[in-house]
Amino acid sequence: MTKLNRRQFSTLLGSTVAAGALSMPNITGAASHGAKPKVVVIGGGAGGATAARYIAKDSKGAVEVILIEPTKRYYTCFFSNLYLGGFRDYDSIGHGYDALANNHGINVVHDWAASVDSSNKSVTLASGASISYDKLVLSPGIDMKYDSVPGYSVEAQTKMPHGWKSGTQVQIIKHRIASMREGGTFVMVPPPNPFRCPPGPYERTSMIAHYLTKHNPTAKIIVLDTKPKFSKQGLFQDGWERHYAGMIDWIAPDVHGGIKNVNAATMEIETDLDTFKADAACIIPAQKAGAIAALAGVTDGDWVPVMPASMATKADPNIHVLGDASIAKSMPKSGFSANSQAKVVANAIRGELTDSKVFDARFANTCWSLISENDGIKVGASYKAGAEKIDVVDKFISKNGEDEATRKATYEESEGWYAGITADMFS
Ligand SMILES: Cc1cc2nc3c(=O)[nH]c(=O)nc-3n(C[C@H](O)[C@H](O)[C@H](O)COP(=O)(O)OP(=O)(O)OC[C@H]3O[C@@H](n4cnc5c(N)ncnc54)[C@H](O)[C@@H]3O)c2cc1C
């Protein structure tokens, strides 16, 4: 059984949490062997917090739920772009776990899960404590494949942050944008597919442009994409033309020829087309499932294959994986998707452990993006579980040329969604 050591935990977190912030677990009761079946949930983000809450709530106390999450405050990646654009302050995207314990009796343990012994159905924590389970839910999100970008590394991420995980990285980006010289250049390198939040790099580009238009209007943004096309491309590019004409230069890989090297010391990004000198940069590498998924032995390469109707892994029916770590084709990796999948997982687990009715699996997703003030766009779909994959039932997308009232209403809808999903995770 492979284990993560303390240094690897810190690396996984990037600069999110210093190793010293890890706390000793409070697992009083977690190790008790009562008559209740026990569910251990690893990861208290969009997928895990929702799954823990729904399993506890819907089983009405018949199931013991233990949530393992190292951070005491979860800062959502969703709306972190709005923080960059000046539409949100950082505190407004942070959420704590007290209500999950107080309102639903969930035992929240602030620690890392270090390993999973699936044959003995137990999880070992970084503190050394061990917790047994009847069902294990993994929603560990993503880890970075640093070497997917030549020259990029854990060390380089402080000068060239990715800001693609919850935590302080996005604050570094904000600081670097604010410190750019007048007329300076911001370089963004979006990741290859598949990755967390397909429209995210382009909403981020929009929000940085919004900030720069107000504070540094002669600055430039260069997007060196690793993909020939991207989510909501026509909508974003139309918006960039309307709001930020001349500021954003999106360059496709067949034009720049690929990222040959990034150098955090000189702030240079080298391509066949040119070597771009950045005053500030955001490099987002390729991604894979959070490391605990591989340690649990349920990955197939980078991600976790699951059964669509229950999100149980193909490798082990007692381990369910949801959110970004899973292969939930045709759903995108988003917070909305993770929250929706969590309810399917909770339904399946509650049904199996309490011998109660299991409803057919239905899923939904909408990804809203803000281009500029009151200029919101969206793409979304509803889904059902097919035999081999999650199938689209119907889908929708905003259109170019929509009137201002529609775009404002779309933005307001996203505000409502944010309030709703965070209450669904943490209340
Ligand atoms: C810039 C940006 C903008 C975004 N905007 C949107 C948006 O507008 N709408 C939307 O729907 N989605 C958006 N997303 C995507 C969304 O944030 C993710 O898809 C979502 O958070 C995935 O949920 P998850 O549960 O899989 O992972 P996460 O929410 O990342 O949660 C994983 C949790 O697991 C914990 N963890 C990891 N390993 C371990 C371990 N070994 N032991 C214990 N705990 C562990 C981590 O600390 C973390 O809290 C955005 C993402 C980014 C980066």
Side-chain angles (χ1 to χ4, degrees):
M1 186 170 51
T2 323
K3 275 194 176 188
L4 291 179
N5 62 34
R6 205 171 170 90
R7 186 175 178 280
Q8 286 167 317
F9 297 140
S10 315
T11 303
L12 286 176
L13 267 180
S15 60
T16 308
V17 176
L22 297 175
S23 59
M24 289 303 287
N26 164 24
I27 50 170
T28 324
S32 68
H33 293 281
K36 285 184 189 178
K38 200 194 285 180
V39 177
V40 173
V41 179
I42 298 179
T50 313
R53 183 169 173 270
Y54 273 80
I55 295 166
K57 195 161 76 73
D58 294 351
S59 68
K60 300 184 172 59
V63 174
E64 184 181 348
V65 181
I66 299 152
L67 175 62
I68 302 167
E69 163 60 50
T71 61
K72 293 201 169 152
R73 214 160 165 74
Y74 173 84
Y75 287 87
T76 58
C77 287
F78 27 107
F79 277 34
S80 64
N81 287 331
L82 274 65
Y83 156 71
L84 292 177
F87 292 91
R88 282 260 171 172
D89 63 41
Y90 194 64
D91 283 349
S92 78
I93 59 170
H95 306 271
Y97 293 90
D98 289 353
L100 291 182
N102 297 337
N103 299 345
H104 306 288
I106 297 169
N107 188 348
V108 182
V109 178
H110 288 295
D111 201 347
W112 282 98
S115 64
V116 174
D117 179 350
S118 54
S119 49
N120 287 311
K121 293 170 111 182
S122 77
V123 175
T124 302
L125 305 184
S127 63
S130 166
I131 307 177
S132 62
Y133 64 80
D134 294 292
K135 286 278 183 183
L136 179 62
V137 178
L138 302 181
S139 193
I142 52 159
D143 276 324
M144 298 297 153
K145 294 171 76 173
Y146 288 95
D147 58 6
S148 66
V149 181
Y152 198 58
S153 63
V154 179
E155 291 72 31
Q157 74 181 0
T158 308
K159 283 201 78 183
M160 295 177 148
H162 52 75
W164 223 243
K165 286 176 113 177
S166 170
T168 52
Q169 280 260 302
V170 73
Q171 290 178 296
I172 301 174
I173 296 177
K174 180 123 186 182
H175 175 72
R176 295 210 186 277
I177 298 162
S179 313
M180 268 168 66
R181 71 182 164 87
E182 199 182 322
T185 301
F186 182 87
V187 178
M188 159 84 95
V189 177
N193 292 319
F195 66 102
R196 158 176 286 182
C197 194
Y202 313 98
E203 182 186 56
R204 179 170 287 178
T205 301
S206 308
M207 290 293 93
I208 292 172
H210 180 78
Y211 177 91
L212 292 174
T213 301
K214 282 189 160 27
H215 301 280
N216 190 350
T218 55
K220 293 267 176 278
I221 300 176
I222 294 169
V223 184
L224 297 169
D225 216 323
T226 51
K227 306 175 292 301
K229 57 184 183 161
F230 61 87
S231 172
K232 295 187 270 192
Q233 181 164 357
L235 293 163
F236 277 114
Q237 289 183 322
D238 168 73
W240 294 346
E241 204 46 51
R242 284 184 291 110
H243 299 290
Y244 315 117
M247 181 178 267
I248 301 170
D249 196 2
W250 178 80
I251 307 179
D254 62 336
V255 177
H256 63 68
I259 310 295
K260 302 299 177 222
N261 194 46
V262 301
N263 185 332
T266 60
M267 293 295 285
E268 286 175 335
I269 295 99
E270 192 188 319
T271 69
D272 283 344
L273 181 68
D274 205 348
T275 295
F276 297 87
K277 174 98 177 154
D279 295 280
C282 170
I283 310 289
I284 311 169
Q287 293 150 33
K288 61 182 178 183
I292 194 69
L295 295 174
V298 292
T299 54
D300 173 12
D302 290 337
W303 308 101
V304 183
V306 294
M307 310 296 293
S310 64
M311 309 292 289
T313 62
K314 292 194 171 165
D316 184 336
N318 292 313
I319 303 180
H320 297 244
V321 175
L322 69 152
D324 292 352
S326 66
I327 301 173
K329 202 165 158 36
S330 312
M331 299 183 81
K333 297 185 188 301
S334 76
F336 196 132
S337 294
N339 172 265
S340 174
Q341 292 157 10
K343 293 168 195 175
V344 168
V345 168
N347 176 41
I349 289 180
R350 187 257 314 133
E352 196 176 328
L353 294 183
T354 65
D355 201 18
S356 51
K357 182 173 167 59
V358 175
F359 300 93
D360 285 347
R362 296 278 169 182
F363 307 85
N365 177 62
T366 302
C367 287
W368 287 271
S369 305
L370 189 60
I371 301 178
S372 181
E373 191 162 1
N374 287 325
D375 195 351
I377 54 173
K378 62 182 173 183
V379 61
S382 62
Y383 308 84
K384 64 178 172 35
E388 282 305 315
K389 65 177 192 50
I390 298 173
D391 294 322
V392 175
V393 176
D394 53 40
K395 54 186 179 181
F396 55 87
I397 184 165
S398 299
K399 294 181 178 51
N400 277 335
E402 285 171 336
D403 60 28
E404 284 181 12
T406 303
R407 290 297 176 92
K408 183 167 186 282
T410 302
Y411 168 58
E412 287 167 354
E413 230 174 77
S414 75
E415 289 276 349
W417 167 76
Y418 186 89
I421 188 176
T422 50
D424 210 30
M425 292 163 66
F426 293 112
S427 67

